[in-house]
Structure formats: structure tokens, C-alpha cells
Amino acid sequence: MGGPMGGRRLWLKLYVGATIAAGAAALAATAHQWSRMELGVAELALFIGLAGILDAMVVPVAGGGAMAASFAVFFGGVLALGAQPTAWVAALAVMWSEAVVRRRPLPRACFNASHSVLSLLAAGWVYRALGAQVGWVELTAGWPAGWPAVVAAAVVLWALETGWASVAVALERGGRLWRRLRSWLGPGLAWDGGLASVGLLLALLYQSRWQLVGHSGWQGALLLGATVLIPSALLYYAYRLQGSLQQVYSQSLRTLGSLLEAKVEGSQPGHGERVARLAARLAESLELPPRDVEQIRYAAYLHDIGKVGVPSTLLARNPDRLSAEPEAVRLHAQIGAAILSPIRFLQPAAQFVTSHHERWDGLGYPQGLRQKQIPLGARVLALADAYVGLTHSPLPPLPLSQTLSLLQQAAGSRFDPELVAEVMGTDLARRDLTCGPFFEPDDGVEAAAPETSLHSAESAAA
Amino acid sequence: MGASSKGYSAYMLAVGASGWVILLWLLVRRWEQGVGVSLVWEGGFFLGLAVLVGLQPVRLPRGATTTVGFAVDYACLLIFGPAVAAVIGVISFAVLLRRSPWLRQFFNQGQVILSFAGAGLVYEALGGRYVQLSAERVPFGELVPALLVCGVVSFTISSLLISVAIAQWERRRVTGVWAVSFRWTAPRFLALAPFGLLMAMVYQAPGLGIVAVGLFLVPLVGARYAFQGAMEMLEVHRETVWALSNALEAYDPYTRNHSELVTRYAMGIGRQLELPAVRLEILEWACRLHDIGKCRQDWETIIRKPGKPSRREWEVIRQHPVEGSRLAEKMEFLPHTAGEVARIVRSHHERLDGSGYPDGLSGEAIALEARILGVADAFEAMTARRAYKRRKDTQEAIEELRRCSGSQFDARVVEALVVLWERGELEVEPSLEQVSAPQPVASRVREPAGQAAGGGG
């Protein structure tokens, strides 16, 4: 692996290693304070149990990464138990849920536990530095009472937890850090905001030793558990439902796209999926927001759907690379748009489908748009479509170097020169672009179509 | 509506009026128990919460709405007792339903009052106390049986009252309607009732009450937004899959509108057989996707070839339900019923006597929905205007179905179709018979001379 990708990987390893080392050191440093802490085994067990359960409630984030509901217990712990015991709680709970329950690789589990420990210690420090007392949150006596310390601790804990993981994702997948952070911000705020409230509630109930609500002993513990688990579970259920629906949606479009390929004469199995993969990667490297990347992906799955409306005998002709198509075939762009137009959610994608045969010099169809008049998504789609057409066609496919030089020749006439430069300038050009991202297994495309061993030599050399 | 409209209106009015009478009685009773300043401002706080939540309903698919306000309502009942809770419920319902017809508003006011009154009286009878009316802390831990019964009573009263209204409106049996609405609302109830109980419990904490209740509300609102997003996605998903699967067959003169019509016939039969809404939804998905397994380039050549299909071609034909169910499994998304659609698609060519394909199932082993889909599919195939076959008229098609019922088709399903036919519900408007596939706005496809494609309808 050459260049930026290799460099980034090294940085990722260093970053993960440093985090684990720092986390372990911090945890060890707090160990000697154990004797001074007045904590019962039952209380610790309750917190560890709750954190362990909530840490298994994980929802994915659009730009990559995931959020766990254990944030509630961590935050509540900082206020009620103090940062050091909570750090131990977090370490145990995260290691248990990551390494034992979800069977994640050990370095990853250690990394997640470590950044939680470090974030918790920092949040605890901020909480005490603002004059608040561990074990007693004062919210009602004398405005603003304990609110500034509580809010500051929540913000610090949230920002560090999120930031720590975002850096790892940015190192793993590329792209600028602040874009990654931004994609976490929207859904993350509602999620972690809700959980922070639950955490505060936990601290308030705990500090009264459960007397507040008229119960003590195991009844109180049960009540405390319910207070934390019920709202978190509700939040988790709603987020999970939303996330799984988005996945199902994407999969349905993928399936429909493959059906289209099965039905339309002369189309190449797996074409839409390859184009989708490449176009999405291009869009990501242009740092478009996740929502736009998704629409480009959807458009790619369906970009040739208009061909169901073109007589099959016209489509079956021998495809001649990059040459003009008969007019009836050209209509597929508009037919595709007409098919997609009733679906309001897919309006951006429909626009990309309409214009995916426009050319940078204005000689394309159907409208003869030029340059920036063509939507960016359509320009990305056109480039990806052409690339995949060249490298995965029934004709003997072109070698990568030749493909790239063809694309380069067409920059400024057919394609957006900046986009072509983007392809050439990044590590995208060094590998077969239609394969999956580096760290994720390639799922299914290769099975769909017999792969030419075209790029294996180059991959091996790189 | 028609004939039932009188009974329906009378019922709605009766529920509303009796609700208001009960409310008056509850209020007088509450007045005698003493009213303090704290009631006004604490009640006002909860009223504010309830209105806030009521202003943000979640839109469920097919036009229904719901709120997470049930948690707040339940907390109000345990804190203030039925009178205040009913007033808050009435006002928050008025906000939620502010654009509905007055009769519906009136009914819902009555419904909410009756359910609170019933729940409150039962709770009191079982020794329950309310936070605001009790001198010391209410030991909720010891009141668990009373709380449970109270929740069940409140849920039962309101779901029964609503089911009767829907049953009158749609002229269906109450038990059927109630079973469906129970399946839809029970999970929400189970999730939100403990939430309300917790709110009431922490509300007792001295000096913390309102703060703690506010803290509970944050995750509730967060969940509401995510849930709304999920519901929107569900709708978008349905719309997309149906539109695109339609488009895949729309340009083929042999299959144009086939699924659309099959869906219409099958849904008619399903309603006639009084399938619950959940099953109807599954049936509709299966109808839309039942022929998706035919998407392959050689399908037309195999089907249109004169003479008997070869062994290989026959294999392809027999495999299309299997292929279709594989694809349907990837595309459908119905909570709680995963895989049902695929199962129905797979067996829509099974025959009652076991001579069908692909699995050779017989009798009850074939899902009812699959039997319905099989009849609708055959009926559409016989009556559709096709290039290769004379179109049978409806009379002939029905006779053919009847002849084969018992061996190939389920007699009950066929008879349901006959009822639809006699009622004139099988008429297809010309627009659907000839229909057009989506065309580009600018121009139509010019067909080169000598091409067989196009034409048809």
C-alpha cells in the first residue's frame, strides 16, 4: 500500500496505541486511591451492571462509527461516585460488552475503554474545578446552583468521547476531521442529550440513597435501574428502528438496481453496484455531507432504470466505448427521471439520474447543460459510470493505467476536470476504485460477476 | 358510511356527553377535597408539558397520529387524581385534534375522561393514593397490584371505546377491530406506562419534583424525533419499492399493470374475508412483489416460445416464485412480521391439491394470503388483454375459477371474489387497462421499423 493510505494507517496505529497506554496509566494511577473511597460492593456492582447493559445498546452514526447508551451511566457516575470509580466502572463495562459480548478485536475494545477512562477523568476534573461536590448535585438552591458544573461536565465528557472516536474514524477512512465531527453532531446531540438527562436523574436519585422516593435497599436499586433503563431503552429502540430502516432502504434500492440489470438487455451484472461504490467514495473524498453521499449512491444504483423503457433490441447492440448512442437509447435518462419523479424522497437522486449523460463541454444530453450547470452529483455519477464501463465491460477490459489516461484525456470535454484531478490526486487511483473501503470486507459484488484478474498485478506491486 | 351514519353519530355523541357528565362529578368531588395554590401552578406545569407533547404528534403510516403524551397523562393521574388528569387530557387532546371535525373531538374528550375516571376509581378502590392529595409520601412500591390494574383498566376502556367507533364507521366487527388496535397500541402502552409511573415517583422527591420530571422529558422527546424519522422512512420505503417494481413491469406489454390489478383484486378478497390490517399489509406487499422473480432477460423468450417448454425452461419457470421470495425478503420491511411476505410470494403458485410448484404444498399448508394471491393472479391473467391470448370475459373467468376450486383454488377465496364481482367491485377503469408507463416529457420513444416491441395496450 503506497502513500497516504499507508501513512494514515501508521498514524491510526500510533493513535490507538497512545490512547491505550494513557488510559491504562491513568487507571493505574487512580488505583491507590481505592482505600479512600467509601463505596460498597453492591453500589459498584449496580453501576457496572447498568453500564454493561447500556453499553450493549449501540446505534450506528451515518458517517461511520457508533454511539452507546452507556453515556448515561458514565455521566451519572461522574456526578454521583466521582470520576475515578466511574473510570473503573467504564473500563470493566466496556471491556465486557466489547470483547466478551460483541467479540470485537482486543485492541479495539481496549481503545474504546481507554478513551472512555480518559474522558471521564477529564470531565470529573472539570466538574470539581467549577466548585461542585461529588456525591451531591445541587440544582435547586440558589440559582444557578450546580448547573454550570453539571453542564460543563456533560459537554466535556461528550466532546471528548465523540472527538476521540471521530479522530479514529477520520484516520481509518480519510477525510477532514471537522467533517467527521459534524456528521456526528446532529443525531448525536439528541441521543447524548437524552442520555445525559437520564444520567443526571440517576445521580439525583442515587445521592439521596434512594430515600427520596420512599424506598431503600433492593427496591430502591430496582427503581434506580428502571429509571435508567426504561428511558434509555425507549431512546435506543427508536434510534435502532430508524437506523435499520435506512439500511433496509439502501438494500432495497440495491436489489431493485440488480433486478434492472437482470432485465435489461446488454447491461452488466454488478454494474450499478460498482458505480455506486465508486461514486460514493468520490463523493466522500469531496467531503460532501452524508445525506448527499447517500443520494448519489441511490442515483448510482438506479441510473440506468430508464432503460426498461427502451426497446431491448436497441440496447443489445455491441457497446462501442465512449461513442454516441442512438437517440432512442438517449431517452433513458429522461425516462429514468420520469420513473423516479413521483418519489419525493429521491428528488436529488432523480436529478442526478436525469443529468448523468451531460458533458462538461455542453455536448451531452438530454439538456445540453454545461460545466457547473450540471449538478455535482450527476458529474460524479458520469465519471464513475464511465470508469466502471471501461474497467468492467464484456469487451476485454482496459488496464487501469489506460483507463486513467482515457479519463484524463476526457477531462474538460466529457468530465469535470476537477473531479478527474480528484481521482488522479488521491490514493483512489492506485487501486481498483470499485472495491470496498480498505478496512471493510468486499460484500458480494465479486460473487455477482466473474472478476478479471486485471488489477491483481498492480495491487500486489503497490 | 350511509346507513350506519346515524348509529355512529349517536354513539359518538353519547360517549362525549357521558364523559362530560362524569367530569363534572369528578370536579365537584375534587373541589370538596380542597384546592390549593400549589394545584394551580403544578397542574399548570403538567398542562404545559401535555400541550407541548400534544403539539408534536408522530405521524404513523396511513394518516394516523400518536403522541408520547400517554406517559405524561399517566403521571398526571397518579399525581393529581382523575379530575385534574382528565382536564389536562381533554385540553391536550383539543390541541392534538384541533383540525378534526367537532364530533370526533367531542368523542375523544369523552373517551379520555371515561378512561381516566375508570382507572382512578379502580385505583382508589384498591387502596391507591395520589401524590398531591396524600400527606406523606405515596409508597408506590407497595401499590404495584393497584397500579397494574389501574393501567389495564385505563387502556381497556379507551381502546374499547375507540374500537367500537371504528367498527361502526367501517361496518366491521368490534372484536376484529379491537384485536388489531390492541396489537398496535399495546407495545406503546407497555413502554410508556412505566415511564409515567417513574415520573410520578420522582415527582415526590422534595425540592426536585419538577426538575426531575423535566429530565424525564428530554429522552422522551429525543425518542419521539427518532421514531418520527423511522415512520417517515417506512413510508418512503414503501413508496419507493412499489413505484420501482411497478416501473420494472410497466414497459412490457405482457405484464403492464398486472401487479397493480392483482393487488387490487387480492386486497378486495382480503377485506371480504375480514383479514386484520396487519395481514392485509403483508398481502399487499406480497402482491406488489409476487412476480419480481420474473426479472431476467430470457424470461420473455421462454414464455412466448410456442410449444412446450423444454426441461431447462420449465425449471426456470418453476423457480420464479423462489427467486421472487429471495428478492422480496431483501426488500420488504414490516416490523414484527419479517419473512412473511417472502413466504407468500414463494407459495403463490401452489395448488390446493398439492400439484403446484415450487414446494408442492397442499391445503392449509399454503398460507391463506398465498391462496388469495393465487386466485387474484389467475383471475387477472385470464381477464387481462394480452397479445397472445383471447381475453376471457369476467363471467367465463369466474366459471373457470369455480371449476378449479377445491382442486387448484380455495373455494372460500373464490367465493369471496364472486361476491366482489356481484357487487361490481371488479370493474377496471379504462385508464388502468391501457395505462401508460412513465414517459419522458419531451418526446416519445421512436421505434425503428421492424421492431416488435412497444404496442400492446
Side-chain angles (χ1 to χ4, degrees):
Chain A
M1 275 307 112
M5 173 74 80
R8 233 170 40 211
R9 244 195 132 189
L10 183 66
W11 279 112
L12 179 63
K13 277 186 180 162
L14 280 175
Y15 176 72
V16 169
T19 304
I20 294 176
L27 214 52
T30 64
H32 72 275
Q33 298 175 344
W34 269 117
S35 52
R36 272 188 281 144
M37 294 177 198
E38 294 161 4
L39 276 176
V41 178
E43 286 149 332
L44 265 185
L46 178 70
F47 272 81
I48 293 174
L50 283 177
I53 294 172
L54 291 187
D55 208 61
M57 295 183 185
V58 179
V59 294
V61 181
M67 316 181 285
S70 48
F71 185 77
V73 177
F74 294 171
F75 179 56
V78 168
L79 306 183
L81 305 180
Q84 285 93 344
T86 311
W88 281 92
V89 168
L92 287 173
V94 172
M95 287 303 288
W96 182 75
S97 84
E98 293 258 318
V100 181
V101 178
R102 274 183 280 159
R103 302 195 174 276
R104 290 282 155 78
L106 200 62
R108 189 171 166 162
C110 288
F111 170 75
N112 281 333
S114 300
H115 78 66
S116 289
V117 165
L118 294 170
S119 311
L120 281 169
L121 292 175
W125 182 81
V126 168
Y127 182 64
R128 271 175 293 122
L130 286 173
Q133 194 187 339
V134 168
W136 190 263
V137 185
E138 187 54 69
L139 293 181
T140 41
W143 181 255
W147 281 107
V150 168
V151 172
V155 169
V156 166
L157 183 60
W158 178 76
L160 284 179
E161 283 265 38
T162 316
W164 229 296
S166 307
V167 172
V169 174
L171 282 174
E172 190 175 29
R173 303 211 180 167
R176 261 177 246 143
L177 180 61
W178 72 273
R179 293 271 185 189
R180 287 281 168 212
L181 271 172
R182 221 174 55 171
S183 73
W184 279 56
L185 220 67
L189 262 187
W191 169 257
D192 284 329
L195 289 170
S197 295
V198 175
L200 183 51
L201 211 50
L202 166 68
L204 289 173
L205 288 182
Y206 177 79
Q207 72 190 12
S208 66
R209 293 290 174 265
W210 311 329
Q211 291 299 321
L212 270 185
V213 282
H215 301 285
S216 55
W218 67 270
Q219 277 178 323
L222 211 64
L223 175 60
L224 194 73
T227 310
V228 175
L229 288 180
I230 291 175
S232 315
L234 192 69
L235 205 57
Y236 171 68
Y237 172 74
Y239 267 80
R240 191 85 211 170
L241 190 68
Q242 193 184 14
S244 66
L245 265 170
Q246 266 156 2
Q247 254 172 7
V248 169
Y249 190 73
S250 184
Q251 198 193 342
S252 291
L253 288 188
R254 205 165 124 181
T255 311
L256 285 160
S258 71
L259 279 177
L260 161 83
E261 279 151 11
K263 196 177 166 78
V264 170
E265 199 100 10
S267 57
Q268 193 66 8
H271 174 79
E273 191 154 348
R274 284 174 218 280
V275 175
R277 201 166 271 189
L278 172 56
R281 289 197 68 194
L282 263 173
E284 263 175 23
S285 73
L286 292 172
E287 300 185 344
L288 298 179
R291 195 174 284 228
D292 296 0
V293 177
E294 276 304 284
Q295 287 286 339
I296 290 175
R297 190 196 306 272
Y298 298 155
Y301 286 138
L302 303 170
H303 68 276
D304 275 343
I305 193 153
K307 284 190 178 168
V308 296
V310 177
S312 52
T313 35
L314 284 177
L315 295 169
R317 87 214 154 80
N318 197 16
D320 187 8
R321 286 187 176 121
L322 297 186
S323 74
E325 292 161 304
E327 209 203 323
V329 176
R330 289 178 162 217
L331 273 177
H332 83 268
Q334 283 156 289
I335 297 176
I339 290 172
L340 295 182
S341 64
I343 306 166
R344 202 150 37 96
F345 180 74
L346 286 179
Q347 283 319 295
Q351 225 186 0
F352 305 155
V353 169
T354 318
S355 307
H356 81 278
H357 280 291
E358 298 287 1
R359 293 168 49 123
W360 186 251
D361 56 14
L363 297 176
Y365 59 84
Q367 288 164 290
L369 300 177
R370 45 188 298 142
Q371 305 198 353
K372 306 258 161 151
Q373 289 175 326
I374 312 166
L376 178 59
R379 282 179 267 152
V380 169
L381 194 50
L383 185 58
D385 191 19
Y387 179 96
V388 175
L390 290 168
T391 52
H392 294 84
S393 78
L395 303 176
L398 291 182
L400 187 59
S401 56
Q402 226 174 315
T403 307
L404 290 175
S405 75
L406 262 179
L407 291 185
Q408 216 151 17
Q409 281 166 23
S413 59
R414 248 178 93 106
F415 305 119
D416 179 349
E418 282 174 40
L419 277 183
V420 177
E422 181 72 32
V423 173
M424 299 298 160
T426 60
D427 56 315
L428 290 176
R430 271 172 259 282
R431 308 173 56 239
D432 182 351
L433 307 185
T434 53
C435 292
F438 187 70
F439 287 97
E440 280 173 15
D442 214 14
D443 47 353
V445 184
E446 264 55 57
E451 193 65 21
T452 47
S453 59
L454 187 70
H455 310 303
S456 51
E458 283 173 33
S459 312
Chain B
M1 242 169 91
S4 73
S5 117
K6 239 183 221 165
Y8 171 77
S9 307
Y11 171 73
M12 300 286 270
L13 280 173
V15 170
S18 52
W20 276 96
V21 171
I22 299 266
L23 180 61
L24 268 176
W25 174 71
L26 283 176
L27 284 174
V28 170
R29 200 177 69 126
R30 182 70 184 76
W31 182 262
E32 284 162 359
Q33 284 163 334
V35 176
V37 184
S38 67
L39 174 65
V40 175
W41 87 271
E42 285 174 7
F45 172 75
F46 273 90
L47 178 62
L49 286 189
V51 168
L52 215 71
V53 174
L55 281 172
Q56 304 280 321
V58 178
R59 291 193 197 292
L60 299 174
R62 323 231 146 176
T65 53
T66 183
T67 70
V68 287
F70 180 71
V72 179
D73 296 346
Y74 197 55
C76 285
L77 176 65
L78 297 180
I79 293 170
F80 302 108
V84 179
V87 171
I88 292 175
V90 164
I91 297 178
S92 67
F93 250 110
V95 173
L96 175 66
L97 299 175
R98 60 194 179 281
R99 295 202 191 88
S100 305
W102 72 269
L103 189 63
R104 235 174 94 191
Q105 290 198 30
F106 190 59
F107 165 78
N108 273 301
Q109 289 160 6
Q111 175 260 113
V112 96
I113 294 167
L114 289 175
S115 111
F116 274 131
L121 294 178
V122 168
Y123 178 64
E124 286 163 31
L126 292 171
R129 279 177 289 154
Y130 305 114
V131 174
Q132 243 239 345
L133 289 169
S134 155
E136 69 266 25
R137 227 175 265 133
V138 179
F140 282 113
E142 294 156 22
L143 289 172
V144 170
L147 287 166
L148 280 178
V149 175
C150 150
V152 170
V153 166
S154 131
F155 176 69
T156 313
I157 292 180
S158 88
S159 68
L160 267 181
L161 288 175
I162 294 172
S163 299
V164 171
I166 295 176
Q168 294 225 346
W169 178 260
E170 295 182 357
R171 281 187 277 171
R172 286 165 52 196
R173 259 187 249 129
V174 178
T175 46
V177 176
W178 191 70
V180 173
S181 72
F182 182 82
R183 278 180 72 152
W184 272 103
T185 48
R188 188 174 69 98
F189 172 78
L190 283 178
L192 292 179
F195 217 100
L197 175 59
L198 284 175
M199 273 168 121
M201 282 170 139
V202 297
Y203 183 74
Q204 305 193 63
L208 258 188
I210 285 176
V211 175
V213 171
L215 288 176
F216 261 117
L217 218 62
V218 180
L220 204 60
V221 170
R224 182 235 163 254
Y225 276 100
F227 198 65
Q228 174 76 71
M231 289 300 119
E232 277 161 17
M233 207 65 212
L234 202 68
E235 202 59 33
V236 165
H237 180 245
R238 184 208 317 269
E239 189 189 20
T240 307
V241 172
W242 291 0
L244 294 183
S245 60
N246 241 351
L248 282 175
E249 69 179 25
Y251 291 90
D252 186 335
Y254 289 84
T255 58
R256 182 172 300 171
N257 287 316
H258 169 66
S259 296
E260 188 73 42
L261 288 169
V262 168
T263 307
R264 177 187 292 212
Y265 301 147
M267 294 301 281
I269 298 172
R271 283 198 203 93
Q272 183 62 32
L273 293 176
E274 298 195 344
L275 289 192
V278 185
R279 311 298 306 173
L280 283 176
E281 173 105 21
I282 294 170
L283 179 61
E284 183 159 14
W285 270 93
C287 291
R288 302 265 175 191
L289 298 180
H290 76 280
D291 269 351
I292 206 101
K294 289 182 179 172
C295 284
R296 42 185 300 160
Q297 286 172 20
D298 54 358
W299 182 262
E300 279 179 48
T301 21
I302 293 173
I303 286 299
R304 282 201 246 162
K305 205 182 81 171
K308 267 195 158 182
S310 70
R311 180 188 285 269
R312 192 197 67 82
E313 288 166 344
W314 183 232
E315 203 43 49
V316 170
I317 294 171
R318 286 171 65 96
Q319 279 303 305
H320 92 262
V322 179
E323 181 64 13
S325 86
R326 193 180 65 79
L327 293 163
E329 198 160 21
K330 286 189 180 176
M331 286 192 281
E332 60 114 359
F333 180 86
L334 298 171
H336 315 307
T337 56
E340 294 267 312
V341 173
R343 199 162 60 94
I344 294 160
V345 169
R346 187 182 171 100
S347 26
H348 79 276
H349 276 292
E350 299 290 357
R351 294 174 171 207
L352 219 57
D353 58 9
S355 64
Y357 60 88
D359 300 313
L361 300 177
S362 63
E364 295 284 317
I366 312 165
L368 175 61
E369 290 90 339
R371 283 177 265 154
I372 296 175
L373 176 51
V375 170
D377 192 17
F379 180 74
E380 207 288 321
M382 284 189 281
T383 53
R385 188 177 288 151
R386 295 274 161 79
Y388 56 90
K389 222 191 259 178
R390 183 174 68 95
R391 179 192 150 129
K392 278 199 173 82
D393 67 22
T394 316
Q395 177 77 50
E396 281 175 84
I398 296 260
E399 271 161 25
E400 176 77 13
L401 287 176
R402 273 192 164 144
R403 203 173 54 75
C404 301
S405 71
S407 60
Q408 185 174 349
F409 304 116
D410 184 337
R412 204 157 63 98
V413 176
V414 173
E415 284 320 300
L417 184 76
V418 172
V419 173
L420 291 184
W421 173 55
E422 284 164 353
R423 269 203 243 132
E425 286 177 22
L426 296 184
E427 294 308 312
V428 174
E429 58 268 36
S431 69
L432 253 184
E433 267 189 16
Q434 322 227 325
V435 187
S436 44
Q439 295 289 338
V441 191
S443 57
R444 299 178 67 85
V445 181
R446 266 186 288 140
E447 280 163 31
Q451 297 303 329

